[in-house]
Amino acid sequence: MAAVLNDYDLAARWIAEAKRAVAFTGAGISVESGIPTFRGEEGLWSRFDPRLLELGYFYDHPEASWRFIRQIFYDTLSHAKGPNDAHLLLAELERRGVLRGVITQNIDGLHQRAGSRNVVEFHGTAWRVVCTACRQKASITPELLASLPPRCQACGGLLKPDFIFFGEGIGPENYRKSEALCRDADLLLIVGTSGEVMPASMIPFEAKEARVIEINPEPTRYTEEKSDILLRAKAVAAAKTLARRLGIDLS
Ligand code: APR
């Protein structure tokens, strides 16, 4: 069943009526904060080889992998702007008791900076490192990135960014929390994701009872398979329009 296109009145009414909404977000929600997507003509994978983020490659070539990671993530993220109106709208909907939480595939931490409190970082975060030997976690710092590959101060083990690499399993806690949020949801907002990466892309299908509003400038697999409404727009424009209809001041 194809989604209804651009029905902002209906979308705003559904949001106003929701009591247990959940948002599922991808790289697209952070584009207007200056962080590129992975796929699409400007996407990272059109410029870099995703094999550099395979777990096996990381262990075999830690320095080369860390050099790429520093260039792609930390240089990009350190120049990114803060949360945009789409992140801010989701945080405000949580404050108003409409939204129960955000499940994000993003590792940029922008939902938390926008004020969202219940955030499931399904793919982890770029802002922490974990020791591959003693499992101790620490915040990422410029000093730590000064000499690659970074070593654990406690045991000297190889440090790894605390985000999920290709070939790495998803933490069971993230799965459990995401499925619970979706199974209980009366409204699902799918924002800025191509829905191409398993197993994250299956999470929206756990929301069996929910009405589904998708925000994306392009149709995706969800548009055909899951969404009831597609707001075919960039996240910030859609967020501004919805905020106006909901009487929410994002400034
Ligand atoms: N606003 C909203 N959506 C946008 C915008 C925008 N301004 N610009 C692009 N998009 C959409 C694209 O149309 C696309 O559907 O964002 C989506 C980005 O898709 P991907 O780059 O595949 O990002 P994502 O779905 O988050 O990828 C999932 O893949 O490489 C892994 O771990 C990585 O978490 C990532 C996962």
Side-chain angles (χ1 to χ4, degrees):
M1 182 273 289
V4 168
L5 204 50
N6 296 334
D7 191 334
Y8 281 86
D9 286 335
L10 184 59
R13 181 150 60 76
W14 283 3
I15 293 171
E17 289 169 354
K19 303 247 180 318
R20 302 182 312 283
V22 64
F24 179 72
T25 69
I29 199 171
S30 296
V31 165
E32 290 151 281
S33 294
I35 300 173
T37 60
F38 291 95
R39 293 165 190 83
E41 67 277 3
E42 297 296 310
L44 283 174
W45 302 144
S46 65
R47 288 177 280 149
F48 299 98
D49 183 349
R51 277 177 305 166
L52 283 158
L53 275 189
E54 280 179 0
L55 200 57
Y57 181 87
F58 174 79
Y59 282 112
D60 293 345
H61 310 281
E63 186 170 344
S65 187
W66 258 109
R67 203 167 299 292
F68 168 73
I69 290 164
R70 180 172 62 187
Q71 180 196 350
I72 293 307
F73 291 100
Y74 297 104
D75 294 353
T76 305
L77 290 176
S78 57
H79 295 111
K81 297 188 286 263
N84 62 52
D85 283 348
H87 299 105
L88 293 172
L89 176 62
L90 295 181
E92 178 56 26
L93 290 176
E94 185 183 28
R95 266 192 291 277
R96 292 179 175 216
V98 168
L99 193 80
R100 283 287 175 83
V102 178
I103 303 160
T104 187
Q105 300 169 88
N106 302 339
I107 59 176
D108 55 34
L110 288 179
H111 286 297
Q112 293 91 325
R113 284 179 57 191
S116 286
R117 298 164 66 84
N118 187 17
V119 180
V120 180
E121 292 181 306
F122 201 77
H123 289 153
T125 176
W127 299 117
R128 262 196 322 268
V129 285
V130 58
C131 177
T132 57
C134 70
R135 306 309 299 166
Q136 198 163 29
K137 296 199 177 190
S139 297
I140 198 90
T141 61
E143 298 71 32
L144 195 142
L145 289 172
S147 67
L148 301 180
R151 293 277 165 195
C152 173
Q153 283 178 344
C155 77
L158 171 64
L159 291 176
K160 173 186 166 297
D162 196 16
F163 56 71
I164 300 293
F165 280 49
F166 289 113
E168 186 175 1
I170 300 291
E173 189 56 11
N174 278 345
Y175 248 123
R176 190 193 60 73
K177 285 196 284 189
S178 302
E179 286 175 344
L181 277 168
C182 284
R183 285 179 185 152
D184 188 42
D186 57 5
L187 176 68
L188 171 65
L189 303 171
I190 301 176
V191 189
T193 179
S194 62
E196 290 187 21
V197 171
M198 301 279 279
S201 56
M202 299 313 291
I203 290 297
F205 296 101
E206 294 294 334
K208 300 197 182 344
E209 310 300 317
R211 293 160 161 172
V212 184
I213 299 168
E214 183 179 8
I215 297 175
N216 197 314
E218 300 299 331
T220 67
R221 60 172 301 184
Y222 297 119
T223 313
E224 278 305 310
E225 297 173 38
K226 188 66 184 167
S227 306
D228 299 306
I229 300 174
L230 169 64
L231 301 180
R232 189 162 182 172
K234 293 183 175 180
V236 167
K240 285 181 187 297
T241 304
L242 289 170
R244 256 195 316 278
R245 277 175 168 69
L246 292 162
I248 292 175
D249 178 3
L250 290 176
S251 53

